[in-house]
Amino acid sequence: MNEIRNPARPEALREALQSLRVGVCLADGDSWEVRFENARFFKWFPPTDDDSGLLEGRLPEMDIERARKRLGDKRPYTYEVEVQQGQRKHPLAIEIRAEELGGETLVVVEARDLSKQRQAEYMLDSYSRMAEKHARDLAKEKERVEKLLLNLMPRPVYEEMKSFGTATPQRFETASVLMLDFVGFTEMAVARDPSSTVAELNDIFTAFDRIVELFGCERIKTIGDAYLAVSGMPEASPDHAANIAKVALRMRRYLNRRNESHPHKWLCRVGIGSGALIGSLIGVQKYVYDVFGPGVNLAARLEGLADPMQILTNEDMAFQLGDGFLLEERGEEKVRGFGTQVLYELKGERAGQI
């Protein structure tokens, strides 16, 4: 079984085959009887007790009919199999082909150990999964940071900052501002459970954010119980006055409905006004987008003069709102920094029930 017929320099050939790191077997081309096998092939495919000396009895999972057909067509037959060696399984790649050696046809079998290749593939697959997870984590972190920054500044300002590393202060000749504050909040914050108060305030401000977004306005910031929103910046809008008025009316309607079903009543004062504004990103390590100008000051002064659940504006704003809103004149009043102004209470919209 272990003799090779008619090879040139048989001992040298045998020695070379025995030193290979692959399993090699030579079999008769007709009967497929094993003629020679090196030590590695013998180790991987040892003879069984009923060994007939034929190759098909030594190679597990081999389709002998398919193998003979492919060799008859002068094509190799290949497949993979696992063999047990002690506690480990070795994946092997088997190639069977026909060769002319020493004037006769022999079946040559090569068995290659795929363990290192599989290990490398497993490592590459692990690295790939780690890289994909890292990329997903980075994407999630980027999304989280983006959401956080968009809570601090309008999207156009964020996009400019992301592209250029800074945001240029902008002046808007006319925009509208809403300033809202709650009646008796300081006393309530001291008298009530702080967690409950903050939770309620958070719910209310979250609803306000949705209303502001609905009409294309921007919430600039909250200061304690004060809420500041603008319309017409950082993107100009010809309907800035009407949009900020609609926001104010819906905020008040939301509070009225909420107060009907909650034990504690939240009462607000609202001032809305128009004027020139400057929007700018403030800070280096801690970014804050803020607005300055007469429009902000006017809205703050009007909010301070409003009665509970009243939306107060001035004559210029009332003129901009036109006939689309219900306004009631409250008379002249001195507004600090703006002189004597004719004030109006915003009651609702003419074209709908608010």
Side-chain angles (χ1 to χ4, degrees), residues 22 29 32 48 74 79 86 94 111 118 130 132 138 155 172 193 205 211 231 290 296 312 315 352:
V22 299
W32 286 44
T48 58
K74 300 188 182 304
Y79 73 103
I94 309 295
R118 293 288 171 81
M130 287 174 61
E132 289 175 1
L138 283 177
R155 179 171 286 279
F172 300 84
D193 173 52
F205 280 173
I211 295 170
S231 180
D290 212 343
V296 177
L312 206 58
E315 189 172 19

Side-chain angles (χ1 to χ4, degrees), residues 43-345:
K43 178 181 178 182
W44 285 339
F45 307 107
T48 58
D49 293 338
D50 57 347
D51 178 55
S52 61
L54 300 180
L55 187 61
E56 59 188 284
R58 301 285 295 279
L59 292 176
E61 301 182 24
M62 179 181 66
D63 186 337
I64 186 63
E65 296 301 326
R66 181 173 172 79
R68 285 183 177 276
K69 183 176 185 308
R70 289 187 68 86
L71 267 61
D73 295 336
K74 300 188 182 304
R75 292 187 296 168
Y77 172 71
T78 60
Y79 73 103
E80 292 184 6
V81 67
E82 282 189 343
V83 296
Q84 189 78 34
Q85 293 289 309
Q87 299 298 318
R88 294 181 57 192
K89 285 187 176 181
H90 290 263
L92 303 177
I94 309 295
E95 180 181 88
I96 304 173
R97 64 183 185 275
E99 295 283 357
E100 293 293 331
L101 294 174
E104 64 176 321
T105 302
L106 293 178
V107 176
V108 180
V109 183
E110 289 186 21
R112 299 180 181 274
D113 192 345
L114 299 177
S115 298
K116 290 186 177 180
Q117 178 183 330
R118 293 288 171 81
Q119 185 178 16
E121 291 173 353
Y122 175 78
M123 291 177 65
L124 286 173
D125 188 51
S126 297
Y127 289 145
S128 176
R129 289 196 300 270
M130 287 174 61
E132 289 175 1
K133 182 179 183 302
H134 186 57
R136 289 195 300 270
D137 291 343
L138 283 177
K140 288 180 181 178
E141 183 64 16
K142 181 182 177 182
E143 183 180 355
R144 188 187 70 81
V145 171
E146 182 175 289
K147 286 182 179 179
L148 179 61
L149 290 174
L150 287 174
N151 281 331
L152 300 176
M153 64 190 76
R155 179 171 286 279
V157 177
Y158 166 73
E159 295 294 343
E160 183 182 358
M161 180 183 166
K162 185 172 67 172
S163 299
F164 303 105
T166 185
T168 307
Q170 291 180 289
R171 177 183 174 87
F172 300 84
E173 293 303 326
T174 177
S176 294
V177 182
L178 174 147
M179 179 69 79
L180 178 146
D181 198 4
F182 288 105
V183 179
F185 179 80
T186 303
E187 294 77 8
M188 176 180 62
V190 174
R192 297 183 63 208
D193 173 52
S195 5
S196 172
T197 302
V198 170
E200 288 190 47
L201 186 63
N202 182 64
D203 288 344
I204 293 170
F205 280 173
T206 299
F208 286 179
D209 287 345
R210 294 195 185 101
I211 295 170
V212 166
E213 185 178 358
L214 182 64
F215 290 96
C217 302
E218 288 281 350
R219 187 256 282 174
I220 298 300
K221 61 182 176 181
T222 61
I223 311 168
D225 64 318
Y227 189 100
L228 174 64
V230 298
S231 180
M233 67 171 293
E235 294 181 344
S237 170
D239 301 320
H240 59 85
N243 287 336
I244 209 74
K246 290 175 182 178
V247 167
L249 290 168
R250 280 160 179 78
M251 284 179 171
R252 184 174 64 182
R253 181 177 67 178
Y254 167 79
L255 287 178
N256 280 329
R257 290 183 174 178
R258 189 182 191 281
N259 289 338
E260 291 175 0
S261 57
H262 285 71
H264 181 76
K265 311 302 179 187
W266 289 75
L267 305 177
C268 69
R269 291 186 293 259
V270 183
I272 57 174
S274 292
L277 291 178
I278 293 174
S280 178
L281 198 61
I282 307 298
V284 177
Q285 293 183 339
K286 293 185 177 181
Y287 295 109
V288 174
Y289 185 80
D290 212 343
V291 292
F292 317 91
V296 177
N297 295 338
L298 177 60
R301 303 287 187 269
L302 293 171
E303 177 270 316
L305 295 172
D307 294 329
M309 299 304 281
Q310 187 179 59
I311 303 169
L312 206 58
T313 189
N314 66 345
E315 189 172 19
D316 176 61
M317 186 71 164
F319 176 77
Q320 293 184 63
L321 293 177
D323 297 331
F325 292 85
L326 295 169
L327 292 148
E328 182 179 298
E329 184 177 338
R330 202 174 95 162
E332 291 186 349
E333 197 157 344
K334 190 172 182 179
V335 179
R336 185 163 59 91
F338 295 90
T340 301
Q341 298 271 325
V342 180
L343 303 186
Y344 288 81
E345 180 182 354

